[in-house]
Amino acid sequence: MIRLGLTGGIGAGKSTVAKTFVEHGAYIIDADKIAREVVAPGSEGLAALVAAFGDDILGADGALDRPALAAKAFADDESRTTLNGITHPLIGARTQELLDAAPADAIVVQDIPLLVENHTAPFFHLVVVVHADEELRVQRLTTLRGVAEADARARIAAQATEEQRRAVADAWLDNSGTADDLAEAAAALWEGRLVPLEAHVRQRTAAEPIADLVAAEPDPAALPARLTNRLWAIAGEKATAVDVTAVDQNATGSVTELTITARDVEAAAALTDPLADGGFAPVETGVHRSCDPGRPATVRVVTPAP
């Protein structure tokens, strides 16, 4: 199983990509849907919100009045912290329930609008960003969704920038054309990269780099940092350091070499399975290679010198 983080700015076309992935067999987890589910009428979450913010956050039908909640919850930092303290654990628990129910060979697509803003990119095998230029997004929001132009621009400005998204993206889907163009690109990504990645992770085998995929890297300068953050997310307390030791160029593009310094010999041994599950297959003792044909990397696990 692999986990894919899908994100993109408002109006970029993320829903088209999610729909295409589902049509190809993705196991979808929609963050917005979960956020609504955990505060639905009769839920533990809604009861907790009412206890914290009062009955006037409910509509006449007993459902959450989101504007009324926002007026209270975003009034100050303390209220915002209270809101997050109620909803985030519930969202996390429901997300984990859905992950636990996923098939062993699933490509789990987690649709997360604020993935970049929430700094969760390192926890995914792959991050896919759907992008369109601001003016095109404004046009779509105003003509297709009926959003006022000032509101559309304000929403875009409140989200991550293109540079911030590109820095965490493993795959970049441009949506400057038609919806059919975007769906075709998403389908090609699914078949050409996601399916092989899942198979390599499940079978614990390293992938041979595919030149066209490697060349499509959204931000080569940010790749070493992205890999470092991914390895920290996998290794956690078992590591004392994660360092980039080399960035080599070959016929297929850039290959990043990294070293994880494990806390001790036992921690080094205990990293084998998490690294394999996280997308870095063991090829020999203490050496792992990327399962992703679009992101070649070699990871060496060492222990501190005595």
Side-chain angles (χ1 to χ4, degrees):
M1 181 183 82
I2 62 169
R3 294 174 59 195
L4 181 151
L6 174 63
T7 193
I10 184 171
K14 183 166 54 64
S15 59
T16 296
V17 175
K19 179 175 180 290
T20 302
F21 286 165
V22 169
E23 290 171 349
H24 283 74
Y27 181 96
I28 192 79
I29 298 177
D30 187 326
D32 278 350
K33 182 178 179 181
I34 293 173
R36 293 190 297 271
E37 178 184 321
V38 299
V39 293
S43 67
E44 170 191 346
L46 185 58
L49 289 177
V50 170
F53 295 104
D55 290 341
D56 51 345
I57 65 168
L58 298 176
D61 59 356
L64 179 64
D65 183 334
R66 292 183 179 276
L69 173 64
K72 291 189 171 188
F74 295 103
D76 52 59
D77 289 342
E78 183 179 354
S79 297
R80 187 181 300 109
T81 299
T82 299
L83 171 66
N84 292 339
I86 293 169
T87 58
H88 286 187
L90 295 171
I91 292 170
R94 179 56 180 153
T95 299
Q96 190 60 53
E97 286 179 4
L98 293 171
L99 283 170
D100 292 342
D105 61 348
I107 298 176
V108 178
V109 175
Q110 292 184 236
D111 184 339
I112 306 176
L114 299 181
L115 181 149
V116 179
E117 293 85 342
N118 292 338
H119 307 291
T120 54
F123 299 97
F124 296 94
H125 290 84
L126 200 83
V127 171
V128 176
V129 173
V130 187
H131 175 74
D133 290 338
E134 179 175 337
E135 293 306 315
L136 181 55
R137 292 161 61 196
V138 169
Q139 179 187 7
R140 289 171 177 163
L141 289 169
T142 55
T143 59
L144 300 178
R145 299 193 195 178
V147 179
E149 181 177 343
D151 188 17
R153 293 191 184 278
R155 294 188 194 186
I156 290 172
Q159 294 184 334
T161 64
E162 176 181 346
E163 291 73 20
Q164 289 170 324
R165 291 194 180 98
R166 196 175 287 276
V168 304
D170 297 297
W172 188 265
L173 293 177
D174 180 76
N175 187 21
S176 57
T178 67
D180 287 343
D181 292 336
L182 180 61
E184 183 178 346
L189 177 65
W190 180 273
E191 295 296 340
R193 187 171 182 182
L194 303 184
V195 171
L197 171 58
E198 188 284 320
H200 282 295
V201 170
R202 179 164 36 87
Q203 297 165 8
R204 296 192 167 193
T205 55
E208 290 300 320
I210 297 175
D212 288 348
L213 294 179
V214 178
E217 161 61 41
D219 188 349
L223 178 58
R226 196 159 70 244
L227 283 165
T228 299
N229 291 338
R230 173 66 178 155
L231 292 175
W232 269 120
I234 294 170
E237 295 181 353
K238 298 180 181 69
T240 61
V242 178
D243 300 298
V244 176
T245 50
V247 180
D248 296 331
Q249 296 292 327
N250 62 26
T252 58
S254 177
V255 180
T256 307
E257 295 191 8
L258 306 100
T259 298
I260 298 175
T261 303
R263 190 179 61 248
D264 50 36
V265 173
E266 290 75 16
L271 278 170
T272 300
D273 287 344
L275 282 169
D277 292 340
F280 301 91
V283 293
E284 58 183 271
T285 302
V287 181
H288 295 248
R289 282 179 50 210
S290 175
C291 299
D292 182 355
R295 192 177 59 181
T298 298
V299 179
R300 301 181 189 278
V301 180
V302 300
T303 53

